[in-house]
Amino acid sequence: MRTFLTFAGLIIMFAGLSSCYDESATFGESLVDSSFRNVTADTSTVTVTNVRIDSLETSGTNTVLLGQYTHPLWGTVTSMSYIPYERPSYGTDIEETVILDSLMLTLHYNGYYLGDTTLMQTLSVYPLKEKVVLNDNDYLYSNASFAYGTEALGKKTFKPHPGRGEPVEIRLSDELGRQLLTSFHNRSEAVSVDKFEDYFKGIAVVPDASSKNLLGFSVGDTLSVITLYYHVKDELENPQTLVFSPNTTTQFNHFDHDRSGTLLPAVATKNEEVSSAQLGDRGMLFGGLGWYTRLEFPHLNNIMQQGVQVDVQNAILRIYPQVDTYSEFNSLPDSIYLYIADENNVVTEAVTDYLGTQVQGGVLVKDDTFREKTYYYFDVSTFMKEELGAIGTNKHNLQLVFPSAKYNSTFNNLTFSSQKGKNPITLQLTYTIYESY
């Protein structure tokens, strides 16, 4: 048997035949009469279903995401941020007289943006009226909200420069600055370690309703800080600062999605699933909104009818982004991933590289001349080999997703065609049909 297989492998290598074959059709009679046949088929059925993650954890991501963007197909997404602050240490002698200079919020870009950054952005800062508290599972989700005041502490209109590293500075209310300075200088019980977060609950940063871009900012000990600038009376040459660092555990982003005028159902539902046919023969991934795509192969086992034994040799999945859904303002994602899930859509493992050691990211092949020929591809040979012959509860599907961080802290998105679309998703199978053992 081993000698036969080795010989068969050599024959396949040098004399392999290929044809275009739909596994639901009858196999043609034009192939060379042999004990085995090597077939390449690119019409294998792929069923595309869009699925939404119910809850996205946006606390603890070290990201402030602010702004608004309207996708050409999927509606308008908006993000605001809640930022509580930790109590700083204050050391100026109580006998001194201190004078406020200013109170500033400083936001440092993290490099992420979506939309036209040549357009102006306006951000307003409001005082929180409720203390931000984590849920019982120690997270906060994108749909969480807390009450904040109606009178802005500060507001700024600016032209974004997310790639330059220049921070956005927003001057906040002098009244709040004086209150904080006075309370700390007088060693008020209200700003003690135990009570500070009840005294100053933090801020909500809200984009203007006319915003046309989304911007990412970093959160950390020295990032997204509020700085109180002051000086001791008669010591102008010796300025002082009191730096309020954000609470990186309870800071979170709130997302909104306006679906009106889109093919999506008007109202989101729990465990939401939408077929590609309902979305104009499209599949969709959308960070921030939680959308990913389930891929199924309902007729894969039909190829087993073509011989005594059928073995999958190679399988390549190609996914073609819809041309008018990406641009310089909404670039294609660098990486997308495939995970294997069981009949209950529970992920069991990842589609890995040929060594089996690393999660396989879809390779993006760009064609800037003929954009319709831009695609991502995956080698799914191992999955298809193992899936061939599986039935019932043993069958698996593939889930096309972004890395988890892209769902929590970006609105990265990808729209592609199902097999009935203009540039259809394709599964190219190469398999061997044995007429006898």
Side-chain angles (χ1 to χ4, degrees), residues 87 131 188-199:
R87 183 188 185 277
K131 182 180 177 180
S188 170
E189 180 69 17
V191 293
S192 63
V193 173
D194 294 334
K195 296 184 178 180
F196 173 72
E197 289 187 356
D198 292 307
Y199 174 77

Side-chain angles (χ1 to χ4, degrees), residues 60-71:
T61 62
N62 296 326
T63 300
V64 166
L65 193 59
L66 302 169
Q68 184 170 271
Y69 173 74
T70 299
H71 189 277

